[in-house]
Amino acid sequence: MSAVPPYPWQNATWRQLAQARAVGRLGHALLLVGPAGLGKGAFAQSLAQALLCEAPTGEGSPCGRCRPCHLVEAGTHPDLMRLAPEEPGKPITVDDVRNWRARSGLTAQLGGNKVAIVAPADAMNASAANSLLKVLEEPTPDTTQILVTAAPHRLPATIRSRCQRIEFGAPATEATLGWLQAQRPAAPVELCLQLAGGAPLAALALAEPAVVQARTRCVGQFAAVAEGRENPVKVAEEWLAADFDRLLDWIGGWLADLVRLRGGGRAARLHNPDQAAIFQALAARVDSKVLFGLVDQWVQTRRAAASNLNRQLVLESLLTRWAAALPKASHRPT
Ligand SMILES: [Zn+2]
């Protein structure tokens, strides 16, 4: 049986829900809310298994041995439905929700509970959300809807108000460092956790050796573009192959550090403390107007990132602007 809850930093939340269930106070609609990288999806899966298990333990965990448990783990339980986009960026459609509405109105095939996991719930388009609202307004017995989202504000207020909200926050660093170290013994896990804003699974992805190397290389290229040693268009072309959202995060962290250092901030408080020397050297010479123009451009890009951006143009334009950030050596008196 897989661990329950799936990650150690979820223990308190799990206990809270198990207790609510034990006294019959677990809602028929749950909204799991919190930033990406905390394992909300895996938590939802474990919770669904606990709801479908024939013999949950005293702590409310699934037994891992009964037929429903096996079917959940195999992904073939007939009374567990996953509503998810066909591929990332696509919506959850009204047909998906109608399918669930029809099923939730029928008797459970295994005679127990029926559970739907809607993840990410903010991927529902307007008609899908409307359709789900009807299910939430007229709950069927023995039916639970588990909605998972990092962006609850994108859900209609009518849906949010009908759900029991369960908050997932970034856990305390001490709670996750040991876990991260066990997964990636050779990686700079403390730095990765900081870069990931405290989200352990996002930190785990950053701690991949290839990602650690890529980040160091990108910082070096970023500095080289400002110093006129690398061509911004060529660097943009290379960066296109990287994970775009992660790259945007990195660039945001670099710009934030430059702003902080420019304002007299201490190196110890940086997003990128391991690269402090590079950013200190850049911050000492950077043109404030160019820097703040870049920050504005980055904010706009981040806002638009969900829609269809021309990523090559975005990176070229950011880097070309950045290439003008330092006074060039040729202007120095000889
Ligand atoms: Zn079981």
Side-chain angles (χ1 to χ4, degrees), residues 49 53-56 62-69:
Q49 186 173 342
C53 175
E54 279 171 358
C63 75
R65 288 184 300 272
C66 68
R67 182 159 171 256
C69 273

Side-chain angles (χ1 to χ4, degrees), residues 251-276:
I251 297 173
W254 304 339
L255 294 175
D257 281 354
L258 287 170
V259 169
R260 195 168 300 184
L261 288 166
R262 184 111 192 125
R266 283 184 301 126
R269 306 288 301 276
L270 297 182
H271 290 284
N272 303 274
D274 62 319
Q275 306 289 337

Side-chain angles (χ1 to χ4, degrees), residues 39 49 53 76 84 98 122 126-127 130 138 153 165 178 189 197 200 228 236 265 279 318 320 324 327 333:
Q49 186 173 342
C53 175
T76 51
R98 279 193 189 127
D122 50 276
S127 38
N130 264 329
E138 297 155 20
H153 57 277
R165 188 177 171 116
V189 290
F279 287 111
L318 278 167
T320 305

